[in-house]
Amino acid sequence: MNENTILIWGAGAIGGTLGAYFARAGEDVLLVDIVEPHVEAMKREGLFIEGPVETFRQPVKAVLPSEVTGQFKRIILAVKAHHTRDAVRALKPHLAEDGTVLSAQNGLNEIIIAEEIGAERTIGCFVNFGADWLEPGRVLFGNRAAVAVGGLDGQASDSVRDYHRLLSIFEPKAVLTDNIWGYLWGKLGYGSLLFATALTNASMSENLASERHFPVYQRLGREVMAVAKTRNVKLLGFNGFDPDAFMPGADEAAARRSVANMAEFNRHTAKTHSGIWRDLAVRKRKTEVDAQIAIIGAVGQEAGIPTPAINKLVALIHDIEDGRREQSWSTLDEMLNL
């Protein structure tokens, strides 16, 4: 591999979509994935990206983690949040001394990556586009949405600028930000609402449009914002989510507007259900609830901020994961009992 090769560790919904776009633009990309049939399909037929945004088949280089050799200056990590630490430890031998890792994930995974390789080698990234891994060699790209990249310290290093150039190939409106933590904490607010929509089998937009459950969404948003405030983060909004609408003392009408805007945004995507719903209903596997949502409760506890709605949501998702409950409106109704 030459030193210009981009290593993408995790070639599912996010990593696969980014990798296909980069490769199509002429970048030298190597995709790594643990799912052997997926790697074999990519080697044989390339990666098929489909959906309303664009449909194309892209020849790609793909390997299993055990087949990776050499070192790379640019590594994009795109595994599920709860696999972050194990993945960083696996890729570490392949990170060049002057190399960096960008987290194209959901959650606050930059913290874990920085613990493993150092904050100065960790690049923050926020992705909100809709995509699903459908089957080996096939990914649905459901809709465009906000993408941002930035240094953890707010500085735009050469590495940060280069990742911004790359991400702009995929999303021309990608933002180079000096406040990546504002996006990441904002996404946790947005994400807490999406986790709640996974408690039922209805679409994201149907859930968010449910008048009866508005108090659930407002309560979740408020708890996340209250915890985020203790971190002195200036929160940023995107794609309908307005963090200010969920701040302590905010007007209820503002929260209603934000939830309605989120419902509207999610009405226009081929990805009708969240990745969390898909993990539970289709792939029958553990979700990212502990890495993405339980962490909010843990940070809240440290800061003395109670998060009963967050804690209840985590418990309900665990109930579904472990087969104690089904995904249904009655499961979401449990959140109304707070």
Side-chain angles (χ1 to χ4, degrees), residues 179 181-187 189 224-226 228-229 232-237 241 243-244 247:
N179 182 20
W181 293 110
Y183 277 106
L184 295 175
W185 272 97
K187 179 77 188 263
V224 180
M225 296 306 104
K229 272 194 82 170
N232 297 317
V233 176
K234 185 186 182 309
L235 289 140
L236 298 171
F241 180 72
D244 292 341
M247 285 294 177

Side-chain angles (χ1 to χ4, degrees), residues 65-114:
S66 60
E67 298 172 323
V68 180
T69 57
Q71 292 196 313
F72 303 81
K73 282 190 172 183
R74 296 174 295 177
I75 301 181
I76 294 176
L77 184 61
V79 300
K80 290 283 186 182
H82 47 296
H83 299 314
T84 298
R85 198 178 296 277
D86 287 345
V88 176
R89 288 177 179 174
L91 66 79
K92 210 172 181 175
H94 303 293
L95 181 62
E97 273 187 37
D98 57 347
T100 54
V101 174
L102 173 122
S103 165
Q105 302 166 277
N106 290 316
L108 300 175
N109 304 296
E110 285 80 353
I111 295 170
I112 293 170
I113 299 168

Side-chain angles (χ1 to χ4, degrees), residues 16-268:
T17 307
L18 293 176
Y21 270 82
F22 297 163
R24 191 176 67 168
E27 296 288 338
D28 188 18
V29 177
L30 179 63
L31 292 165
V32 183
D33 204 85
I34 60 168
V35 180
E36 201 163 338
H38 184 42
V39 171
E40 290 305 317
M42 289 190 287
K43 282 179 176 173
R44 201 170 53 243
E45 296 150 8
L47 193 49
F48 189 58
I49 304 293
E50 60 189 86
V53 181
E54 245 185 311
T55 295
F56 63 98
R57 186 179 296 280
Q58 179 58 42
V60 290
K61 289 182 289 189
V63 292
L64 295 165
S66 60
E67 298 172 323
V68 180
T69 57
Q71 292 196 313
F72 303 81
K73 282 190 172 183
R74 296 174 295 177
I75 301 181
I76 294 176
L77 184 61
V79 300
K80 290 283 186 182
H82 47 296
H83 299 314
T84 298
R85 198 178 296 277
D86 287 345
V88 176
R89 288 177 179 174
L91 66 79
K92 210 172 181 175
H94 303 293
L95 181 62
E97 273 187 37
D98 57 347
T100 54
V101 174
L102 173 122
S103 165
Q105 302 166 277
N106 290 316
L108 300 175
N109 304 296
E110 285 80 353
I111 295 170
I112 293 170
I113 299 168
E115 284 171 5
E116 294 291 333
I117 63 167
E120 71 287 349
R121 302 173 80 190
T122 305
I123 311 288
C125 180
F126 160 85
V127 289
N128 201 45
F129 64 91
D132 279 325
W133 183 91
L134 298 176
E135 63 179 23
R138 274 182 71 204
V139 172
L140 169 76
F141 180 19
N143 65 292
R144 292 194 175 281
V147 173
V149 60
L152 302 190
D153 58 0
Q155 299 302 306
S157 65
D158 288 346
S159 293
V160 170
R161 290 182 187 282
D162 185 53
Y163 283 116
H164 179 248
R165 177 192 68 78
L166 271 178
L167 289 166
S168 298
I169 293 170
F170 165 70
E171 175 48 67
K173 295 178 181 171
V175 177
L176 178 64
T177 181
D178 60 2
N179 182 20
I180 195 64
W181 293 110
Y183 277 106
L184 295 175
W185 272 97
K187 179 77 188 263
L188 288 184
Y190 186 102
S192 68
L193 274 64
L194 291 190
F195 265 89
T197 72
L199 297 175
T200 84
N201 279 313
S203 69
M204 291 183 284
S205 55
E206 283 177 280
N207 273 282
L208 292 167
S210 170
E211 171 65 28
R212 197 156 65 88
H213 297 100
F214 167 75
V216 175
Y217 306 131
Q218 184 184 28
R219 179 73 176 267
L220 287 168
R222 284 194 160 180
E223 286 186 4
V224 180
M225 296 306 104
V227 173
K229 272 194 82 170
T230 69
R231 306 292 281 200
N232 297 317
V233 176
K234 185 186 182 309
L235 289 140
L236 298 171
F238 52 89
N239 302 145
F241 180 72
D242 173 13
D244 292 341
F246 299 94
M247 285 294 177
D251 179 25
E252 183 183 301
R256 285 187 180 277
R257 270 195 306 277
S258 180
V259 173
N261 288 342
M262 287 174 69
E264 183 59 23
F265 177 79
N266 283 291
R267 207 167 273 128
H268 303 283

